[in-house]
Structures are given as C-alpha cells and as structure tokens.
Amino acid sequence: MKSGNTAAILTFSERDGDCFSVTYESPSVKLRKRVWGYTDCEFLVNLFEFIAKEWKGWDGAQEWVSIEGESWRVRASPIMVKYY
C-alpha cells in the first residue's frame, strides 16, 4: 500500500502458514517484521477492507493486534492510519 501523503509504502509478503512479513519503507527508513497472525489474519484483511470502504471517515478507532500482542499492530482512526 502506498501512502497518499508521503512516499512511504507498506508491503505484506512471504505468507507461510500463519506467518507473514510486513515491510514499511520510506526514503529515510526501511523496517521489516515477521508477524505471527495465527487465526487473526482474516480480521486484519477485514480491517483494511473497512478502511477502504469507509475512506471518508468513521466513528472511533479500529485496531488489529498480532497474536503476540506486542509484535505488530495496526490502529486506524478517521483522521489517521498508524502502523507500529
């Protein structure tokens, strides 16, 4: 996914069973993380589908957290989408 505001790109790749890789790349930094999604990967797909459908905004924050809890999470609110 390419950011509409910056040159940043978020890429999901190398799915192997319950795991996948996520890469965040911008002109100044490149970060890569292996994530264990277990059975929660469907919810991550649903989150991105929701963001695409509701691109004009929605109430409250939406969040997906990897099964480990600290490994990787996506939190989206009507005014921002944040990856950490």
Side-chain angles (χ1 to χ4, degrees):
M1 293 183 287
K2 182 168 179 347
S3 170
N5 296 328
T6 69
I9 297 172
L10 183 68
T11 305
F12 296 88
S13 62
E14 300 175 6
R15 184 168 183 195
D16 181 20
D18 297 332
C19 296
F20 61 92
S21 293
V22 63
T23 304
Y24 173 85
E25 191 170 358
S26 74
S28 58
V29 67
K30 182 174 183 176
L31 306 168
R32 185 165 188 247
K33 178 75 177 172
R34 190 82 178 140
V35 179
W36 182 36
Y38 192 52
T39 59
D40 295 339
C41 289
E42 181 179 340
F43 296 115
L44 178 60
V45 170
N46 291 343
L47 174 60
F48 283 110
E49 287 177 344
F50 174 82
I51 292 168
K53 180 181 172 197
E54 303 295 333
W55 63 272
K56 290 184 179 180
W58 59 86
D59 292 327
Q62 302 290 322
E63 185 172 69
W64 179 87
V65 180
S66 68
I67 197 78
E68 303 99 329
E70 296 179 1
S71 175
W72 196 68
R73 72 179 59 214
V74 176
R75 185 170 198 272
S77 68
I79 58 171
M80 68 171 184
V81 177
K82 197 177 196 182
Y83 311 98
Y84 55 95

